[in-house]
Amino acid sequence: MAIRLPDLPYPYDSLAPHMSAETLRFHHDKHHASYVKKLNGLVEDTELARLSLDEIIQKTADDEDATDVFNNAAQVWNHTFFWNCMSPDGGGKPDGELARQVDEDLGGVDSFKEDFKKAAVKQFGSGWAWLVLDDGRLKITTTPNAVPPTIRGQQPLLTCDVWEHAYYLDYQNRRPDFIQSFLDNLVNWDFAAKNFAA
């Protein structure tokens, strides 16, 4: 069964002015779509074509002969997750059990924002910044290129894409400004709470 490009969970212009419709069109309709198309071409007529996206990622993660498949599959997964990490009504603070865990493990939401931003800005080159659940505790981590934290046994709750194509049209080379805007205005704590509860 072919992997499909999911629709965005909101209209293209609904994240403006923090993320423009132009950025979302390029990022979703060009970059994300390209990963989907390439992945389907790579797995066509192979045993991988019968697997789910998660299964493809796990099966190819440590296979040097399948690096291209892994990278494209992981980028499809990462981007699909990333779209849901943002909301037109985003920003603010978590509540309930997640808020208590953020307080306990990360010193509160303000400390989380500061540490998440530092990690995202320091990620050299392309990659992702994540809030994950790791052995029952919340942690901030980064991964290079296409790597998702799931292959490290971590459960992702939130991510921010720090590849330049995620922000360059709106922020040029100002990655710190993009990360700050993501945290203050776009982050979808409801989605993170659902992942935490799961």
Side-chain angles (χ1 to χ4, degrees):
M1 189 173 76
I3 303 297
R4 299 188 182 279
L5 176 69
D7 293 332
L8 287 172
Y10 30 71
Y12 289 105
D13 60 358
S14 64
L15 302 184
H18 317 295
M19 184 176 288
S20 67
E22 185 182 24
T23 287
L24 279 173
R25 283 196 176 93
F26 272 102
H27 198 171
H28 176 268
D29 298 2
K30 303 294 185 189
H31 289 278
H32 194 176
S34 176
Y35 296 128
V36 171
K37 182 177 180 182
K38 188 161 185 189
L39 175 62
N40 282 319
L42 288 167
V43 303
E44 188 175 10
D45 299 326
T46 73
E47 64 175 21
L48 296 173
R50 297 190 302 273
L51 302 181
S52 70
L53 185 60
D54 288 325
E55 289 169 332
I56 293 171
I57 291 168
Q58 293 300 325
K59 191 169 181 67
T60 59
D62 297 318
D63 184 350
E64 290 183 6
D65 294 328
T67 300
D68 218 13
V69 174
F70 170 77
N71 284 336
N72 282 278
Q75 283 292 73
V76 172
W77 191 94
N78 289 349
H79 280 85
T80 301
F81 191 83
F82 175 54
W83 306 135
N84 289 286
C85 290
M86 298 184 289
S87 167
D89 303 314
K93 298 181 177 184
D95 55 22
E97 287 299 319
L98 179 56
R100 282 187 279 280
Q101 196 82 19
V102 168
D103 287 344
E104 184 176 324
D105 295 341
L106 303 174
V109 71
D110 291 337
S111 291
F112 158 75
K113 284 184 176 184
E114 185 178 330
D115 293 341
F116 187 93
K117 181 178 177 182
K118 277 184 194 170
V121 169
K122 283 184 179 178
Q123 172 58 39
F124 182 76
S126 300
W128 301 81
W130 305 86
L131 173 64
V132 300
L133 197 58
D134 187 356
D135 202 21
R137 293 181 61 82
L138 294 179
K139 291 183 180 175
I140 295 165
T141 191
T142 59
T143 58
N145 301 317
V147 176
T150 51
I151 67 168
R152 299 174 175 171
Q154 297 169 324
Q155 179 187 341
L157 306 185
L158 280 174
T159 194
C160 187
D161 187 347
V162 296
W163 286 61
E164 281 193 339
H165 64 239
Y167 58 88
Y168 203 83
L169 291 178
D170 297 326
Y171 298 89
Q172 289 77 51
N173 64 335
R174 303 189 316 275
R175 185 191 285 185
D177 293 350
F178 165 62
I179 303 302
Q180 193 67 55
S181 187
F182 169 83
L183 291 167
D184 291 343
N185 305 294
L186 298 177
V187 67
N188 185 350
W189 284 113
D190 290 340
F191 179 67
K194 287 177 187 173
N195 294 321
F196 179 70

